Each structure stands twice: as C-alpha cells, then as structure tokens.
Amino acid sequence: MKPTRLKKTKETKRDQPTLKEVAAAAKVSEMTVSRVLRETGSVSKKTKAKVLAVVDDMGFVPNKVAGSLATSSSNLIAVIVPSLRNQVFTEVLSGVTDYLDTTGYKAVIGISDYKREKEEQLVRSMLSWRPSGLIVSNLTHSDRTRKIMANANIPVVEMMETTEDPVDFCVGLDHIKAGALMARHFIDQGYRRIGYVGCNDRDRTAAKRFKGFAAALRKDGLKVEGTLEYDQPVSMELGKKGIAALLSDYPHLDAVYFPNDIAAIGGLFHCLEAGISIPSSVAIGGFSGLKIGQLMPVPLTTVRVGRFEVGQRSARIIVDRLNGKHPNHVNIVDIKLIKGGTT
Amino acid sequence: MKPTRLKKTKETKRDQPTLKEVAAAAKVSEMTVSRVLRETGSVSKKTKAKVLAVVDDMGFVPNKVAGSLATSSSNLIAVIVPSLRNQVFTEVLSGVTDYLDTTGYKAVIGISDYKREKEEQLVRSMLSWRPSGLIVSNLTHSDRTRKIMANANIPVVEMMETTEDPVDFCVGLDHIKAGALMARHFIDQGYRRIGYVGCNDRDRTAAKRFKGFAAALRKDGLKVEGTLEYDQPVSMELGKKGIAALLSDYPHLDAVYFPNDIAAIGGLFHCLEAGISIPSSVAIGGFSGLKIGQLMPVPLTTVRVGRFEVGQRSARIIVDRLNGKHPNHVNIVDIKLIKGGTT
DNA sequence: CTGAAAGCGCTAACAC
DNA sequence: GTGTTAGCGCTTTCAG
C-alpha cells in the first residue's frame, strides 16, 4: 500500500531530473537555474537562454515539494465540499477555481461526504500539506476540527452559511430568511394549506430554511399542515416519491415546499405525470435557483443564490488576506425569490 | 500574489509546531515521535502514550511536505477532469475517490476546462508535487503533455475512451460503438428520417459517437437527414433550442439523436412543451444513462455507461501498479442500450 | 550577475 | 526500544 521509493539504479526507469543535474548540464550553479526558473534576481540573457534550453531538453519539472519546504509556503488553497454530486457545490467550486485562476494559487479539492469525522480527517490531511488557505462549506464542525482550523495560522473561510462567530471568515446566505421568503410568497399568492417534503440532507442548511419557513407562516397565523421527512440525502427521486406520499396523506394541501430545487423538480415531475395541475391544484417551491429548474416545462419558483459568487468571494477573501488586506469577517450574499410557473 | 513566509517572531501568530518541538516536549528523539506517528518500528507502550499526549496537546499536524521530500514519495494521486459542471465527470470522480478511500491514497483534483493548454499547465503543476499516479479524462493531449506524462515515471491512466496506444493505461468505452448502438436501435424501432443536434463539446467523444452513429445508419442505406451543430459545450438549454430549430428546418424527421442525456432532456422538454408527442411523432436518443433521464415524465432512451465504475477501475489500476502488479494496459468498459419511452 | 553554505521538517539507515 | 547521522531538492542569505 505504501509507495516504495524507486531506487536510482540503472535497471529502473530514471527519476525525474533535479535542479542539480540541470545545473551541471548547463554548467552553472543550482542557484542560477533556480533564478531563471522563478524569474527572480538577475541573470544574463545568455545564461538564461542556455539554462532554459537545458531545462526544456531534459524535460525538467521543478520539485515543488522541495521548494515548498524551503520557503515554508505553497500556492495551494485547500477547499472542502460535502459532495460533488450536488450541483450547488460544483458551482461554488467553479467560482473558487475561476477566481484562483486569476492568481498564482491552485485549489486542492476534498470531499467530506457530509460527514464530520471525514471532514476532520480531511482537514488534517490537507493541512499536513501546508496550504496557504482553507475553505470549507459549512459551519458545523467537530470541536477538534474547529480547533485545528483555528490553530492552522492560515486564512480560513466557511462558506454557504452565515454566523456571527466564524472560525475566521464566512461567506454565506441567511437560510432562515430564504425559508421565510418562500413562505411569504406562498401566502401572498393565496396559498393557505401548506406542506413540506424534507430530505434530511445532513448539512443542516435545509433545516434552517424550514425553520424560517415555518416561523414565517406562524407569524401569519398559519402552520405547516403536513410534513414528510426522509432521513437521506436530497434527490429528485425522493422528491417525486415524497410529494406523492404527502398528497396522499394530506389531500387538501395546496402548496408544497421542498428543501431544494432538485427535490422540487422531482415533485413537479410527479404532478405532471399524475395530472395534477400546477399551480392551480398544487403550488411548488424550491431553493437554489438551479438552471434546470428554469428549463422545466413549468419553470420552478425558487429562491436564487449566487453560488458561483460565493465561491469567487471566498477565494478572493483568502487571497486578499494573504496579500495583507483585512477583509470583513462576516459576508452575507443576497438571495432573491424567483417566481416561476409553479406558484 | 506570492505568499509571504510568516516570520517566527513573537508578534506573529506562531507557526505550526515541528517534530523537533514535539520531541523536545516529550523528552524523546525526533525519530521516536516519527515512529509513533507513522506506527512504524517498535516503541514501548509507555513512551508511545507520552508522545501521543504531547502531540494531541500541541495540536501537532505533521508536515507532509517534509515527509514527502524525505521519502521521495507521496500518497497523492492526481486526477484531471475537463469540468465539474458535467455530471459524468463528477460521477467518475466519485468512483475514483471511493476506491482510493479504501487505500491510503488521496485524490488531488484538477479542472482542465476542456482546454489542452490548460491541461498541459495542470499536468505540469500537479506533477511538480510528485504524486504517485496520474489519471486524466481523455486521450487527446498536446504533444508536450504526452511527453511529460510518459516521462513522469509514475502510472498514468487515461479514462473515458479507448485506444490501442495509451500513454500507459486506459479505461474507457468504445464511443463509436455507443453511437452505433443507438443507430441500430432507431432502425430496429422503425425510424428512418433521422436527425442530430450536436454540441461541439470539445472533448471529441461526442464526435466519435456521431461518427459511429452515422456509419451504422449508412450500413443500412440510411443517412443523417438533418444536423445542427453548436460550437459550445453541451447543455440542456442548447438541446431545447436545438431540436426546435432542427425540426423547423427538417419537419419530416421522426427521430433525433443527441450527444448526451442532458442535451436530450432539453430536447424532450421542448417536445413536451410544444405538444409534440413522444415517441410517436419524434423519437429521442441520448447517451450516458444519467439517473435524471430515467426520472423524466417519459424516461429517456439512452446508452448507459458505468461512470462510477470507470473511476473505480482507473484508481484500482494505479494502486495495483504501485503495488507491483501488472494490470492490463487497455481496459474496455461495457455499455448497454436502455430503452425508455422516447423511442 | 553568479556562487557557496546552511537549512526547511522529516525519514532511511545505521548504531547502540 | 531508542538515538544519531545524513540527506531528500530546493531557496535564502550572504559573499564575491
């Protein structure tokens, strides 16, 4: 399992050339090669050309492991997301890499699988490579994870949610408010008998939205009349099955809220297939503002979040901090209700 | 832009502790701490406990940069995919990380954005961290990229396509055959006036499928009667717009082939909205076997690929090779036509 | 403009 | 069981 070091014998394929070998071949010192490669200090045009020729000829790829050790620094930013199967996170990641591409930094991606223990292990393992910054996608970590992150002595951004007490920085949206927005919209559109199909998706943000949703209804003297919760990650399939079961248990419902667009689309598909007219018989509301929701035969009413922007902003905060600036510690991104045809 | 090294002065936050400091605090040698942490060699229970207590107390995170330099090895496997916005690749990645999780290796993910030049830069930059293996998602690389990969002296897997001449290993499917499968199916179902909406998605596999598709039709004396190609990456939106335009130009078509499921779903949506009955007026065929296609009001006819399996298998090949085994260099994964309701 | 020496934090290979 | 010595491949610092 553990990789074995390849011996430098004539029998094995040769290892990558080193700076030293390049220097020898170019008949200069290692330092000169190093300077040429990093475009630091000053080197005469002539020797520079000579060195570059040798580098190219030998196919030399500098060893950043050694470089990083020597400088105690790296151009890596560690980014941890719960999953790549949820489009929300892939878009956030795109935002991160998009911004980092404009700088010299590179993202190193880790997947926590929505599990705190895996997150902890991942944080450890990524920090052991001494990245220059760390971005994580949630607020709820194990105590040890929080401690490790706080001690890492690098900028840390917690994305997607907001809190007044981030480990270092946070960039996110107010999920309570997102839920309330949809509740308000349902009410304004005249819906009164409202249900919820929840997918306990382990990341707690859905729970926050539902909390805000229910609270907003309560404020108007309404309540969530029927709920159905699955103890599984979100999916279109569950949305589809869920709304069927919910409407069978509570046939009088005139609106159903979902924890996200994917589940809501599942719900929408069920209605289309079952001949339930949308929105006259049942209204549907989601969360995220995914493009696919807007491409449905009936565009989905949802709350849009700038996912790409969250990623970009998080990356920018890290880079700014590394450049000695002092970004705000708490950053809230806007959200907006998008009225489609499902309400 | 370039990260600055934090000085070890009392003013700045302290750097991470080092092995040496841990050793001093535990009153043992560095080697003993190293042995405890790596569970190598033999250490008495007593000192082991003492060391672990100190490690925990100081929140010590070993520096793998130094470790990797010392051993000339790492537990990293570099994985390059064109995009995270295409579910196909996120599922492949899941397969890779899923398998690697059972070993001591970790995936480091890079995004090439479907660009060869970016791929080259990425390969360089990832190899500079001296990973133990490399996985890329395509067969078409720049010459320099091929050369660099071949010289890297680590196992390399090219995923998603097959060739008889991989740089090292390849795991993929026969895209020509995938296209032919769908053509055959269209013919068998009685469709004769067949069109194609192509999204030039830069990765060439779609082009291969179309080639196989067209060739299979030709073999039966048929041809692709109308095509529409966009010079943009695949999307549901383009599928939707594309089929509308295609059917308007070639109203007699009775079947349309798409480069992938996402585009096909877009096409399906258009038909649903436009009141074009599926499959009696127009049949639709996709490629991939995405779950979402099977959840459509009318399940999509497609060619299923074991994406997760491709990832797993690629990862396993790397690990097996690192363990001294000799996997096959060319690995072909099965594909299967899934008849939905769109044909 | 160029080079020599010292060391980044860790581990392999030997002592003891 | 535990410690000592020598690097890994690069960069910083200081000389020339």
PDB file of all heavy atoms in Angstrom, chain B residues 302-332:
ATOM      1  N   THR B 302     -31.416   5.687 -23.915  1.00  0.00           N
ATOM      2  CA  THR B 302     -30.031   6.148 -23.850  1.00  0.00           C
ATOM      3  C   THR B 302     -29.079   4.962 -23.879  1.00  0.00           C
ATOM      4  O   THR B 302     -29.521   3.816 -23.930  1.00  0.00           O
ATOM      5  CB  THR B 302     -29.832   6.980 -22.556  1.00  0.00           C
ATOM      6  OG1 THR B 302     -28.542   7.544 -22.547  1.00  0.00           O
ATOM      7  CG2 THR B 302     -30.013   6.107 -21.318  1.00  0.00           C
ATOM      8  N   VAL B 303     -27.810   5.246 -23.855  1.00  0.00           N
ATOM      9  CA  VAL B 303     -26.812   4.180 -23.744  1.00  0.00           C
ATOM     10  C   VAL B 303     -26.097   4.371 -22.415  1.00  0.00           C
ATOM     11  O   VAL B 303     -25.508   5.415 -22.169  1.00  0.00           O
ATOM     12  CB  VAL B 303     -25.799   4.233 -24.903  1.00  0.00           C
ATOM     13  CG1 VAL B 303     -24.636   3.287 -24.636  1.00  0.00           C
ATOM     14  CG2 VAL B 303     -26.482   3.870 -26.211  1.00  0.00           C
ATOM     15  N   ARG B 304     -26.228   3.385 -21.568  1.00  0.00           N
ATOM     16  CA  ARG B 304     -25.691   3.525 -20.218  1.00  0.00           C
ATOM     17  C   ARG B 304     -24.215   3.176 -20.147  1.00  0.00           C
ATOM     18  O   ARG B 304     -23.750   2.196 -20.704  1.00  0.00           O
ATOM     19  CB  ARG B 304     -26.462   2.619 -19.264  1.00  0.00           C
ATOM     20  CG  ARG B 304     -25.849   2.568 -17.861  1.00  0.00           C
ATOM     21  CD  ARG B 304     -26.755   1.888 -16.890  1.00  0.00           C
ATOM     22  NE  ARG B 304     -28.003   2.627 -16.754  1.00  0.00           N
ATOM     23  CZ  ARG B 304     -29.138   2.095 -16.305  1.00  0.00           C
ATOM     24  NH1 ARG B 304     -29.188   0.827 -15.994  1.00  0.00           N
ATOM     25  NH2 ARG B 304     -30.212   2.841 -16.205  1.00  0.00           N
ATOM     26  N   VAL B 305     -23.497   4.024 -19.400  1.00  0.00           N
ATOM     27  CA  VAL B 305     -22.073   3.806 -19.172  1.00  0.00           C
ATOM     28  C   VAL B 305     -21.835   3.715 -17.674  1.00  0.00           C
ATOM     29  O   VAL B 305     -22.422   4.485 -16.911  1.00  0.00           O
ATOM     30  CB  VAL B 305     -21.257   5.005 -19.690  1.00  0.00           C
ATOM     31  CG1 VAL B 305     -19.781   4.715 -19.584  1.00  0.00           C
ATOM     32  CG2 VAL B 305     -21.652   5.348 -21.106  1.00  0.00           C
ATOM     33  N   GLY B 306     -21.025   2.810 -17.248  1.00  0.00           N
ATOM     34  CA  GLY B 306     -20.696   2.719 -15.830  1.00  0.00           C
ATOM     35  C   GLY B 306     -19.650   3.747 -15.460  1.00  0.00           C
ATOM     36  O   GLY B 306     -18.467   3.454 -15.383  1.00  0.00           O
ATOM     37  N   ARG B 307     -20.112   4.977 -15.233  1.00  0.00           N
ATOM     38  CA  ARG B 307     -19.161   6.055 -14.963  1.00  0.00           C
ATOM     39  C   ARG B 307     -18.427   5.848 -13.636  1.00  0.00           C
ATOM     40  O   ARG B 307     -17.204   6.004 -13.544  1.00  0.00           O
ATOM     41  CB  ARG B 307     -19.885   7.394 -14.921  1.00  0.00           C
ATOM     42  CG  ARG B 307     -20.504   7.753 -16.244  1.00  0.00           C
ATOM     43  CD  ARG B 307     -21.387   8.968 -16.117  1.00  0.00           C
ATOM     44  NE  ARG B 307     -22.540   8.715 -15.263  1.00  0.00           N
ATOM     45  CZ  ARG B 307     -23.611   8.043 -15.641  1.00  0.00           C
ATOM     46  NH1 ARG B 307     -23.702   7.565 -16.858  1.00  0.00           N
ATOM     47  NH2 ARG B 307     -24.608   7.867 -14.804  1.00  0.00           N
ATOM     48  N   PHE B 308     -19.198   5.531 -12.630  1.00  0.00           N
ATOM     49  CA  PHE B 308     -18.612   5.271 -11.319  1.00  0.00           C
ATOM     50  C   PHE B 308     -17.562   4.165 -11.450  1.00  0.00           C
ATOM     51  O   PHE B 308     -16.461   4.266 -10.919  1.00  0.00           O
ATOM     52  CB  PHE B 308     -19.728   4.850 -10.368  1.00  0.00           C
ATOM     53  CG  PHE B 308     -19.319   4.731  -8.942  1.00  0.00           C
ATOM     54  CD1 PHE B 308     -19.251   5.855  -8.131  1.00  0.00           C
ATOM     55  CD2 PHE B 308     -19.005   3.490  -8.394  1.00  0.00           C
ATOM     56  CE1 PHE B 308     -18.883   5.743  -6.800  1.00  0.00           C
ATOM     57  CE2 PHE B 308     -18.638   3.374  -7.064  1.00  0.00           C
ATOM     58  CZ  PHE B 308     -18.575   4.496  -6.266  1.00  0.00           C
ATOM     59  N   GLU B 309     -17.917   3.162 -12.193  1.00  0.00           N
ATOM     60  CA  GLU B 309     -17.022   2.023 -12.380  1.00  0.00           C
ATOM     61  C   GLU B 309     -15.728   2.432 -13.108  1.00  0.00           C
ATOM     62  O   GLU B 309     -14.653   1.939 -12.780  1.00  0.00           O
ATOM     63  CB  GLU B 309     -17.749   0.940 -13.188  1.00  0.00           C
ATOM     64  CG  GLU B 309     -16.972  -0.353 -13.313  1.00  0.00           C
ATOM     65  CD  GLU B 309     -17.388  -1.146 -14.550  1.00  0.00           C
ATOM     66  OE1 GLU B 309     -18.206  -0.642 -15.354  1.00  0.00           O
ATOM     67  OE2 GLU B 309     -16.875  -2.266 -14.714  1.00  0.00           O
ATOM     68  N   VAL B 310     -15.875   3.302 -14.078  1.00  0.00           N
ATOM     69  CA  VAL B 310     -14.685   3.766 -14.793  1.00  0.00           C
ATOM     70  C   VAL B 310     -13.702   4.411 -13.817  1.00  0.00           C
ATOM     71  O   VAL B 310     -12.498   4.159 -13.848  1.00  0.00           O
ATOM     72  CB  VAL B 310     -15.059   4.777 -15.904  1.00  0.00           C
ATOM     73  CG1 VAL B 310     -13.814   5.476 -16.436  1.00  0.00           C
ATOM     74  CG2 VAL B 310     -15.796   4.082 -17.033  1.00  0.00           C
ATOM     75  N   GLY B 311     -14.248   5.225 -12.917  1.00  0.00           N
ATOM     76  CA  GLY B 311     -13.402   5.888 -11.933  1.00  0.00           C
ATOM     77  C   GLY B 311     -12.741   4.894 -10.998  1.00  0.00           C
ATOM     78  O   GLY B 311     -11.531   4.955 -10.755  1.00  0.00           O
ATOM     79  N   GLN B 312     -13.563   3.992 -10.488  1.00  0.00           N
ATOM     80  CA  GLN B 312     -13.036   2.989  -9.568  1.00  0.00           C
ATOM     81  C   GLN B 312     -11.927   2.181 -10.216  1.00  0.00           C
ATOM     82  O   GLN B 312     -10.864   1.973  -9.636  1.00  0.00           O
ATOM     83  CB  GLN B 312     -14.158   2.012  -9.187  1.00  0.00           C
ATOM     84  CG  GLN B 312     -15.034   2.461  -8.060  1.00  0.00           C
ATOM     85  CD  GLN B 312     -15.941   1.317  -7.632  1.00  0.00           C
ATOM     86  OE1 GLN B 312     -16.506   0.612  -8.468  1.00  0.00           O
ATOM     87  NE2 GLN B 312     -16.087   1.150  -6.340  1.00  0.00           N
ATOM     88  N   ARG B 313     -12.209   1.751 -11.416  1.00  0.00           N
ATOM     89  CA  ARG B 313     -11.267   0.891 -12.104  1.00  0.00           C
ATOM     90  C   ARG B 313      -9.958   1.618 -12.389  1.00  0.00           C
ATOM     91  O   ARG B 313      -8.874   1.054 -12.244  1.00  0.00           O
ATOM     92  CB  ARG B 313     -11.891   0.450 -13.427  1.00  0.00           C
ATOM     93  CG  ARG B 313     -11.670  -1.000 -13.688  1.00  0.00           C
ATOM     94  CD  ARG B 313     -12.652  -1.487 -14.704  1.00  0.00           C
ATOM     95  NE  ARG B 313     -11.974  -2.241 -15.736  1.00  0.00           N
ATOM     96  CZ  ARG B 313     -12.604  -2.809 -16.761  1.00  0.00           C
ATOM     97  NH1 ARG B 313     -13.915  -2.682 -16.866  1.00  0.00           N
ATOM     98  NH2 ARG B 313     -11.945  -3.486 -17.650  1.00  0.00           N
ATOM     99  N   SER B 314     -10.073   2.868 -12.779  1.00  0.00           N
ATOM    100  CA  SER B 314      -8.869   3.650 -13.050  1.00  0.00           C
ATOM    101  C   SER B 314      -8.022   3.763 -11.790  1.00  0.00           C
ATOM    102  O   SER B 314      -6.799   3.603 -11.821  1.00  0.00           O
ATOM    103  CB  SER B 314      -9.250   5.043 -13.541  1.00  0.00           C
ATOM    104  OG  SER B 314     -10.043   4.956 -14.697  1.00  0.00           O
ATOM    105  N   ALA B 315      -8.704   4.050 -10.689  1.00  0.00           N
ATOM    106  CA  ALA B 315      -7.979   4.193  -9.432  1.00  0.00           C
ATOM    107  C   ALA B 315      -7.326   2.871  -9.047  1.00  0.00           C
ATOM    108  O   ALA B 315      -6.175   2.836  -8.604  1.00  0.00           O
ATOM    109  CB  ALA B 315      -8.934   4.653  -8.330  1.00  0.00           C
ATOM    110  N   ARG B 316      -8.064   1.797  -9.258  1.00  0.00           N
ATOM    111  CA  ARG B 316      -7.525   0.498  -8.867  1.00  0.00           C
ATOM    112  C   ARG B 316      -6.291   0.148  -9.684  1.00  0.00           C
ATOM    113  O   ARG B 316      -5.322  -0.404  -9.171  1.00  0.00           O
ATOM    114  CB  ARG B 316      -8.594  -0.584  -9.026  1.00  0.00           C
ATOM    115  CG  ARG B 316      -8.112  -1.958  -8.588  1.00  0.00           C
ATOM    116  CD  ARG B 316      -9.237  -2.824  -8.062  1.00  0.00           C
ATOM    117  NE  ARG B 316     -10.391  -2.793  -8.941  1.00  0.00           N
ATOM    118  CZ  ARG B 316     -10.517  -3.488 -10.067  1.00  0.00           C
ATOM    119  NH1 ARG B 316      -9.530  -4.280 -10.451  1.00  0.00           N
ATOM    120  NH2 ARG B 316     -11.603  -3.398 -10.791  1.00  0.00           N
ATOM    121  N   ILE B 317      -6.336   0.500 -10.943  1.00  0.00           N
ATOM    122  CA  ILE B 317      -5.177   0.223 -11.795  1.00  0.00           C
ATOM    123  C   ILE B 317      -3.932   0.940 -11.280  1.00  0.00           C
ATOM    124  O   ILE B 317      -2.853   0.370 -11.186  1.00  0.00           O
ATOM    125  CB  ILE B 317      -5.478   0.626 -13.251  1.00  0.00           C
ATOM    126  CG1 ILE B 317      -6.443  -0.403 -13.854  1.00  0.00           C
ATOM    127  CG2 ILE B 317      -4.199   0.714 -14.068  1.00  0.00           C
ATOM    128  CD1 ILE B 317      -6.960  -0.018 -15.217  1.00  0.00           C
ATOM    129  N   ILE B 318      -4.120   2.203 -10.925  1.00  0.00           N
ATOM    130  CA  ILE B 318      -2.990   2.963 -10.389  1.00  0.00           C
ATOM    131  C   ILE B 318      -2.439   2.286  -9.135  1.00  0.00           C
ATOM    132  O   ILE B 318      -1.231   2.044  -9.017  1.00  0.00           O
ATOM    133  CB  ILE B 318      -3.431   4.405 -10.016  1.00  0.00           C
ATOM    134  CG1 ILE B 318      -3.877   5.180 -11.248  1.00  0.00           C
ATOM    135  CG2 ILE B 318      -2.315   5.114  -9.278  1.00  0.00           C
ATOM    136  CD1 ILE B 318      -2.792   5.832 -12.025  1.00  0.00           C
ATOM    137  N   VAL B 319      -3.333   1.983  -8.217  1.00  0.00           N
ATOM    138  CA  VAL B 319      -2.891   1.414  -6.945  1.00  0.00           C
ATOM    139  C   VAL B 319      -2.259   0.038  -7.148  1.00  0.00           C
ATOM    140  O   VAL B 319      -1.201  -0.264  -6.583  1.00  0.00           O
ATOM    141  CB  VAL B 319      -4.075   1.330  -5.951  1.00  0.00           C
ATOM    142  CG1 VAL B 319      -3.653   0.617  -4.669  1.00  0.00           C
ATOM    143  CG2 VAL B 319      -4.584   2.732  -5.626  1.00  0.00           C
ATOM    144  N   ASP B 320      -2.885  -0.763  -7.992  1.00  0.00           N
ATOM    145  CA  ASP B 320      -2.309  -2.079  -8.266  1.00  0.00           C
ATOM    146  C   ASP B 320      -0.900  -1.945  -8.827  1.00  0.00           C
ATOM    147  O   ASP B 320       0.028  -2.628  -8.400  1.00  0.00           O
ATOM    148  CB  ASP B 320      -3.181  -2.847  -9.277  1.00  0.00           C
ATOM    149  CG  ASP B 320      -4.404  -3.465  -8.612  1.00  0.00           C
ATOM    150  OD1 ASP B 320      -4.498  -3.431  -7.365  1.00  0.00           O
ATOM    151  OD2 ASP B 320      -5.279  -3.974  -9.344  1.00  0.00           O
ATOM    152  N   ARG B 321      -0.765  -1.050  -9.761  1.00  0.00           N
ATOM    153  CA  ARG B 321       0.555  -0.860 -10.368  1.00  0.00           C
ATOM    154  C   ARG B 321       1.578  -0.437  -9.325  1.00  0.00           C
ATOM    155  O   ARG B 321       2.720  -0.903  -9.322  1.00  0.00           O
ATOM    156  CB  ARG B 321       0.464   0.207 -11.476  1.00  0.00           C
ATOM    157  CG  ARG B 321       1.748   0.395 -12.242  1.00  0.00           C
ATOM    158  CD  ARG B 321       2.046  -0.798 -13.134  1.00  0.00           C
ATOM    159  NE  ARG B 321       3.438  -0.850 -13.558  1.00  0.00           N
ATOM    160  CZ  ARG B 321       4.392  -1.474 -12.884  1.00  0.00           C
ATOM    161  NH1 ARG B 321       4.102  -2.103 -11.755  1.00  0.00           N
ATOM    162  NH2 ARG B 321       5.636  -1.479 -13.326  1.00  0.00           N
ATOM    163  N   LEU B 322       1.154   0.465  -8.439  1.00  0.00           N
ATOM    164  CA  LEU B 322       2.064   0.942  -7.397  1.00  0.00           C
ATOM    165  C   LEU B 322       2.440  -0.193  -6.449  1.00  0.00           C
ATOM    166  O   LEU B 322       3.496  -0.174  -5.826  1.00  0.00           O
ATOM    167  CB  LEU B 322       1.416   2.093  -6.613  1.00  0.00           C
ATOM    168  CG  LEU B 322       1.275   3.405  -7.397  1.00  0.00           C
ATOM    169  CD1 LEU B 322       0.440   4.403  -6.622  1.00  0.00           C
ATOM    170  CD2 LEU B 322       2.647   3.985  -7.714  1.00  0.00           C
ATOM    171  N   ASN B 323       1.543  -1.173  -6.373  1.00  0.00           N
ATOM    172  CA  ASN B 323       1.838  -2.323  -5.519  1.00  0.00           C
ATOM    173  C   ASN B 323       2.583  -3.419  -6.280  1.00  0.00           C
ATOM    174  O   ASN B 323       2.653  -4.550  -5.812  1.00  0.00           O
ATOM    175  CB  ASN B 323       0.548  -2.881  -4.933  1.00  0.00           C
ATOM    176  CG  ASN B 323      -0.032  -1.950  -3.887  1.00  0.00           C
ATOM    177  OD1 ASN B 323       0.694  -1.153  -3.285  1.00  0.00           O
ATOM    178  ND2 ASN B 323      -1.322  -2.032  -3.662  1.00  0.00           N
ATOM    179  N   GLY B 324       3.068  -3.067  -7.426  1.00  0.00           N
ATOM    180  CA  GLY B 324       3.904  -4.014  -8.147  1.00  0.00           C
ATOM    181  C   GLY B 324       3.174  -4.973  -9.066  1.00  0.00           C
ATOM    182  O   GLY B 324       3.788  -5.832  -9.686  1.00  0.00           O
ATOM    183  N   LYS B 325       1.850  -4.830  -9.155  1.00  0.00           N
ATOM    184  CA  LYS B 325       1.119  -5.709 -10.073  1.00  0.00           C
ATOM    185  C   LYS B 325       1.234  -5.190 -11.506  1.00  0.00           C
ATOM    186  O   LYS B 325       1.757  -4.110 -11.748  1.00  0.00           O
ATOM    187  CB  LYS B 325      -0.349  -5.796  -9.657  1.00  0.00           C
ATOM    188  CG  LYS B 325      -0.530  -6.418  -8.280  1.00  0.00           C
ATOM    189  CD  LYS B 325      -2.004  -6.588  -7.952  1.00  0.00           C
ATOM    190  CE  LYS B 325      -2.186  -6.875  -6.469  1.00  0.00           C
ATOM    191  NZ  LYS B 325      -3.589  -6.696  -6.051  1.00  0.00           N
ATOM    192  N   HIS B 326       0.698  -5.944 -12.417  1.00  0.00           N
ATOM    193  CA  HIS B 326       0.776  -5.544 -13.825  1.00  0.00           C
ATOM    194  C   HIS B 326      -0.586  -5.595 -14.481  1.00  0.00           C
ATOM    195  O   HIS B 326      -0.915  -6.552 -15.183  1.00  0.00           O
ATOM    196  CB  HIS B 326       1.764  -6.447 -14.575  1.00  0.00           C
ATOM    197  CG  HIS B 326       3.171  -6.246 -14.143  1.00  0.00           C
ATOM    198  ND1 HIS B 326       3.972  -5.236 -14.637  1.00  0.00           N
ATOM    199  CD2 HIS B 326       3.910  -6.881 -13.216  1.00  0.00           C
ATOM    200  CE1 HIS B 326       5.153  -5.278 -14.046  1.00  0.00           C
ATOM    201  NE2 HIS B 326       5.145  -6.270 -13.176  1.00  0.00           N
ATOM    202  N   PRO B 327      -1.399  -4.562 -14.269  1.00  0.00           N
ATOM    203  CA  PRO B 327      -2.745  -4.521 -14.860  1.00  0.00           C
ATOM    204  C   PRO B 327      -2.666  -4.474 -16.386  1.00  0.00           C
ATOM    205  O   PRO B 327      -1.627  -4.118 -16.946  1.00  0.00           O
ATOM    206  CB  PRO B 327      -3.330  -3.210 -14.321  1.00  0.00           C
ATOM    207  CG  PRO B 327      -2.438  -2.776 -13.212  1.00  0.00           C
ATOM    208  CD  PRO B 327      -1.096  -3.343 -13.515  1.00  0.00           C
ATOM    209  N   ASN B 328      -3.756  -4.844 -17.021  1.00  0.00           N
ATOM    210  CA  ASN B 328      -3.826  -4.701 -18.477  1.00  0.00           C
ATOM    211  C   ASN B 328      -3.708  -3.235 -18.861  1.00  0.00           C
ATOM    212  O   ASN B 328      -4.220  -2.374 -18.150  1.00  0.00           O
ATOM    213  CB  ASN B 328      -5.159  -5.209 -19.010  1.00  0.00           C
ATOM    214  CG  ASN B 328      -5.265  -6.711 -18.880  1.00  0.00           C
ATOM    215  OD1 ASN B 328      -4.261  -7.419 -18.922  1.00  0.00           O
ATOM    216  ND2 ASN B 328      -6.488  -7.193 -18.711  1.00  0.00           N
ATOM    217  N   HIS B 329      -3.096  -2.983 -19.973  1.00  0.00           N
ATOM    218  CA  HIS B 329      -2.930  -1.588 -20.373  1.00  0.00           C
ATOM    219  C   HIS B 329      -4.190  -1.021 -21.010  1.00  0.00           C
ATOM    220  O   HIS B 329      -4.495   0.153 -20.875  1.00  0.00           O
ATOM    221  CB  HIS B 329      -1.723  -1.445 -21.301  1.00  0.00           C
ATOM    222  CG  HIS B 329      -0.437  -1.531 -20.551  1.00  0.00           C
ATOM    223  ND1 HIS B 329       0.168  -0.440 -19.992  1.00  0.00           N
ATOM    224  CD2 HIS B 329       0.319  -2.588 -20.194  1.00  0.00           C
ATOM    225  CE1 HIS B 329       1.266  -0.815 -19.359  1.00  0.00           C
ATOM    226  NE2 HIS B 329       1.376  -2.130 -19.463  1.00  0.00           N
ATOM    227  N   VAL B 330      -4.930  -1.849 -21.696  1.00  0.00           N
ATOM    228  CA  VAL B 330      -6.160  -1.366 -22.337  1.00  0.00           C
ATOM    229  C   VAL B 330      -7.368  -2.023 -21.673  1.00  0.00           C
ATOM    230  O   VAL B 330      -7.451  -3.249 -21.597  1.00  0.00           O
ATOM    231  CB  VAL B 330      -6.151  -1.692 -23.841  1.00  0.00           C
ATOM    232  CG1 VAL B 330      -7.469  -1.265 -24.468  1.00  0.00           C
ATOM    233  CG2 VAL B 330      -4.976  -1.001 -24.519  1.00  0.00           C
ATOM    234  N   ASN B 331      -8.274  -1.200 -21.149  1.00  0.00           N
ATOM    235  CA  ASN B 331      -9.437  -1.725 -20.442  1.00  0.00           C
ATOM    236  C   ASN B 331     -10.714  -1.127 -21.017  1.00  0.00           C
ATOM    237  O   ASN B 331     -10.895   0.093 -21.008  1.00  0.00           O
ATOM    238  CB  ASN B 331      -9.350  -1.381 -18.961  1.00  0.00           C
ATOM    239  CG  ASN B 331      -8.088  -1.932 -18.327  1.00  0.00           C
ATOM    240  OD1 ASN B 331      -8.083  -3.041 -17.822  1.00  0.00           O
ATOM    241  ND2 ASN B 331      -7.001  -1.153 -18.377  1.00  0.00           N
ATOM    242  N   ILE B 332     -11.580  -1.994 -21.496  1.00  0.00           N
ATOM    243  CA  ILE B 332     -12.815  -1.512 -22.108  1.00  0.00           C
ATOM    244  C   ILE B 332     -13.991  -1.800 -21.190  1.00  0.00           C
ATOM    245  O   ILE B 332     -14.133  -2.919 -20.696  1.00  0.00           O
ATOM    246  CB  ILE B 332     -13.031  -2.189 -23.469  1.00  0.00           C
ATOM    247  CG1 ILE B 332     -11.835  -1.883 -24.384  1.00  0.00           C
ATOM    248  CG2 ILE B 332     -14.321  -1.698 -24.107  1.00  0.00           C
ATOM    249  CD1 ILE B 332     -11.946  -2.468 -25.762  1.00  0.00           C
TER     250      ILE B 332
END
